[in-house]
Amino acid sequence: MASAIKLPFHRRLFLILLAFSWAIILCFLGFQYLHEKKYKSDFLNAQLQMYNRHLLEVAEDGLACETYMATHEKPFENLRISLITLSGDVIYDNMIPLDSLDNHRHRPEIESALKDGYGYHIGRLSASDGRAYFYSATKGERAVVRTAIPYSATLHDLLKADWNFLGLMIIISLAMSVLAYFSTKRLGKTIERLNRFADKAEKGESFDEAELFPNDELGSISNHIVQLYAQWQQTIKDRDTAHEAALREEQEKIRIKKQLTNNINHELKTPVASIQVCLETLLSGISLSDGKRQELIERCYTHNERLRRLLADVSLITRMEDGNALITKEKIVVNDILTEIADELDIMPENERMTLHTDFREQVVIDGNLPLIGSIFRNLTENAMAYSEGKNIYISLLDNNEQACHIRFEDDGCGVEEKQLNCLFERFYRIDKGRSRQKGGTGLGLAIVKHAVQFHGGTITASLRPGGGLRFDFSLKKQMADSGV
């Protein structure tokens, strides 16, 4: 079954207001008609009542009514005059013979006159001559005078209401109807938009209509509701985004920890297996030369040192990931760290070391952790000496302001392929795995550098140095954040 066609709200509201206003207008017109007709009837009756009183005075003075009527002008033509006793008997009538008249005691105008002193009645047919009259009766001390005007077209025109104002009322009503139509249309449009908004809000959808509500009280409230809903939606969206980001971060931490565990397990296998072989050989009782025995012991020591460095690096990364609550902070002069590294390089064998060139124009002081800041420069230096095959290291201060310092670390070695730059800071990533293990590297040096820089609120990037080698640009904030990385 097809549903009934539903008119838009503003049309229904307009029709209701139109019906209500026209009902008021019709009631007003009816009231005006009755009021004006009564007013004219009362005015006509007042004229006749005045004439009746004069006739009563004449009759009560014992004079003949014909004499008064002959000498005085009548208020209306064809005026019928009757003199009636208080008991209702007609004792005089200027138009109808008395013997044809019955008792008038129960005529409406006579009853009103006997009760109130005067009365009138409109349009009643006379029982005597069958004509319709306008009757007006006045009570005296001994009789009642009644005058009657034939209800002709002239009298009808006199008593009818004046309808000249009807045209003006219709024009005003039409103007009000047009005004009501546009007003209800505007109001209806606002309510329809609110209805659409309510449907979307119920479904949790966004209300993205660009048009604003009208500049009135309802429009202001509507705009405020829409804005509150938009803010609520944005809050929900931000919450969901933050929740998803936290979930992704947590999943990433789990993945990294799992990867770290797998990598550590993999990295531990080789040195542990080598140590076990050496120890089994030493404990087997096989006759070994002093040189071979010393070689096995030295190999055990080398692999043990590698294990120690690996565990130390893993511990350091874990501490940084757990946050700065576990790491102390103090005032650090970066220049002093560079001086220590330069001194350490000076005491190394000439064929193993690189020349350090520093360009720090001023003293750099930051609020941070000394071992972590030191690990940044030492790991970059050790990485350059182990893999760059270069001769020189350049450390420059690019910028130093109240918020942060920006530092560049470069070497003049062989560098890497450009596609490998994004992988340098990954844990256990090696350009040449065989050579890295021979050098005793753990594969965590640059990962520690990245974490230490991030721990101090900075960023680090790797690029190829013009002319050969690697370039690392990084920043360190002067004040550490309250939360860890």
Side-chain angles (χ1 to χ4, degrees):
M1 181 178 178
S3 58
I5 299 176
K6 188 176 181 180
L7 290 174
F9 174 78
H10 77 90
R11 292 188 180 178
R12 286 184 281 132
L13 181 60
F14 169 69
L15 292 176
I16 293 173
L17 291 178
L18 190 65
F20 180 72
S21 60
W22 277 100
I24 293 178
I25 291 171
L26 291 176
C27 291
F28 174 76
L29 291 177
F31 170 79
Q32 182 67 16
Y33 170 78
L34 296 176
H35 177 75
E36 189 169 358
K37 187 173 182 180
K38 185 176 184 305
Y39 170 77
K40 291 188 175 183
S41 299
D42 289 342
F43 181 73
L44 177 60
N45 178 58
Q47 291 179 290
L48 295 176
Q49 287 289 327
M50 187 177 296
Y51 189 73
N52 291 348
R53 289 191 179 89
H54 291 303
L55 287 175
L56 278 173
E57 292 176 0
V58 170
E60 289 177 355
D61 289 341
L63 301 176
C65 292
E66 291 85 348
T67 304
Y68 181 82
M69 290 186 292
T71 57
H72 292 79
E73 183 179 359
K74 299 177 182 178
F76 298 97
E77 296 294 331
N78 299 322
L79 185 64
R80 177 184 171 186
I81 302 171
S82 302
L83 187 61
I84 305 166
T85 64
L86 298 181
S87 60
D89 296 328
V90 180
I91 57 177
Y92 173 78
D93 193 287
N94 66 334
M95 289 187 179
I96 300 175
L98 296 178
D99 55 3
S100 63
L101 299 174
D102 57 0
N103 189 284
H104 284 33
R105 176 69 178 77
H106 298 293
R107 299 291 194 274
E109 67 278 3
I110 301 301
E111 287 184 344
S112 296
L114 292 175
K115 180 180 178 182
D116 301 324
Y118 65 92
Y120 69 88
H121 194 77
I122 304 173
R124 193 184 77 249
L125 293 176
S126 173
S128 304
D129 59 5
R131 298 174 66 185
Y133 288 91
F134 178 92
Y135 296 98
S136 178
T138 306
K139 177 188 175 185
E141 293 182 0
R142 297 187 297 274
V144 175
V145 173
R146 187 188 70 177
T147 52
I149 305 173
Y151 205 82
S152 59
T154 303
L155 181 60
H156 181 269
D157 293 339
L158 178 65
L159 293 178
K160 73 177 181 179
D162 184 8
W163 294 103
N164 291 332
F165 71 95
L166 180 61
L168 179 62
M169 290 296 299
I170 291 176
I171 293 174
I172 294 175
S173 300
L174 290 176
M176 291 178 62
S177 299
V178 172
L179 182 63
Y181 174 78
F182 287 106
S183 298
T184 54
K185 183 177 181 180
R186 183 181 182 184
L187 177 62
K189 187 176 180 181
T190 300
I191 294 178
E192 287 174 1
R193 289 188 65 207
L194 274 176
N195 189 40
R196 291 198 301 272
F197 164 74
D199 291 338
K200 288 183 176 292
E202 184 179 8
K203 298 175 183 177
E205 300 175 355
S206 61
F207 187 72
D208 52 1
E209 294 186 12
E211 181 183 359
L212 294 176
F213 286 92
N215 188 21
D216 52 26
E217 287 80 0
L218 180 59
S220 177
I221 294 174
S222 302
N223 284 323
H224 190 56
I225 292 174
V226 171
Q227 290 173 2
L228 289 176
Y229 178 72
Q231 293 174 2
W232 175 78
Q233 273 198 322
Q234 186 61 42
T235 302
I236 296 297
K237 184 178 180 181
D238 294 342
R239 183 204 65 186
D240 293 342
T241 301
H243 178 71
E244 292 175 0
L247 184 60
R248 286 195 301 269
E249 183 179 355
E250 186 64 26
Q251 291 174 343
E252 181 65 14
K253 285 183 178 180
I254 294 174
R255 185 191 69 81
I256 291 175
K257 287 183 178 180
K258 184 176 181 181
Q259 183 185 42
L260 180 61
T261 302
N262 292 336
N263 289 335
I264 291 174
N265 182 57
H266 178 73
E267 292 294 325
L268 290 175
K269 284 181 180 179
T270 300
V272 169
S274 181
I275 292 173
Q276 184 175 358
V277 170
C278 292
L279 291 176
E280 287 176 352
T281 302
L282 291 171
L283 294 174
S284 65
I286 299 175
S287 178
L288 298 173
S289 64
D290 293 340
K292 189 63 176 179
R293 185 181 298 275
Q294 183 65 27
E295 180 185 348
L296 291 176
I297 293 173
E298 289 178 356
R299 186 180 299 176
C300 287
Y301 177 81
T302 300
H303 287 299
N304 180 75
E305 183 64 17
R306 181 180 171 191
L307 287 176
R308 185 191 65 77
R309 292 184 60 187
L310 177 62
L311 294 175
D313 288 347
V314 170
S315 176
L316 181 59
I317 289 179
T318 303
R319 288 174 61 202
M320 286 188 286
E321 288 182 340
D322 287 340
N324 62 3
L326 304 177
I327 300 177
T328 59
K329 308 168 191 176
E330 58 183 310
K331 294 296 181 180
I332 299 169
V333 179
V334 177
N335 309 63
D336 295 342
I337 296 176
L338 299 181
T339 300
E340 290 179 6
I341 293 176
D343 293 340
E344 292 170 3
L345 290 176
D346 287 341
I347 64 175
M348 292 180 66
E350 187 174 352
N351 61 336
E352 295 181 6
R353 69 184 183 191
M354 298 177 69
T355 304
L356 177 62
H357 306 273
T358 59
D359 182 15
F360 269 55
R361 300 173 302 278
E362 56 187 288
Q363 190 178 63
V364 179
V365 181
I366 66 173
D367 179 22
N369 180 264
L370 180 59
L372 290 183
I373 298 297
S375 70
I376 295 174
F377 294 99
R378 285 186 170 85
N379 276 292
L380 289 174
T381 301
E382 291 173 3
N383 186 76
M385 290 193 301
Y387 311 116
S388 72
E389 299 179 359
K391 298 296 182 180
N392 298 285
I393 294 174
Y394 305 93
I395 304 178
S396 307
L397 179 64
L398 302 180
D399 183 37
N400 185 36
N401 53 54
E402 294 181 358
Q403 287 75 37
C405 63
H406 299 266
I407 300 172
R408 173 171 292 171
F409 184 100
E410 299 175 291
D411 66 67
D412 59 355
C414 59
V416 298
E417 295 182 13
E418 188 170 359
K419 64 181 181 180
Q420 296 175 321
L421 290 173
N422 294 330
C423 303
L424 291 178
F425 299 105
E426 293 182 5
R427 298 170 184 179
F428 299 105
Y429 179 79
R430 292 183 174 92
I431 304 296
D432 185 343
K433 297 184 179 179
R435 189 179 66 168
S436 296
R437 286 195 174 94
Q438 291 175 2
K439 294 287 185 178
T442 64
L444 294 174
L446 293 182
I448 291 174
V449 170
K450 179 181 177 181
H451 276 72
V453 169
Q454 291 178 339
F455 182 83
H456 288 84
T459 58
I460 184 169
T461 59
S463 61
L464 297 178
R465 178 176 177 270
L470 278 177
R471 171 182 290 171
F472 295 92
D473 291 321
F474 60 94
S475 61
L476 302 171
K477 285 190 175 180
K478 294 297 185 69
Q479 296 292 328
M480 291 178 61
D482 292 334
S483 59
V485 294

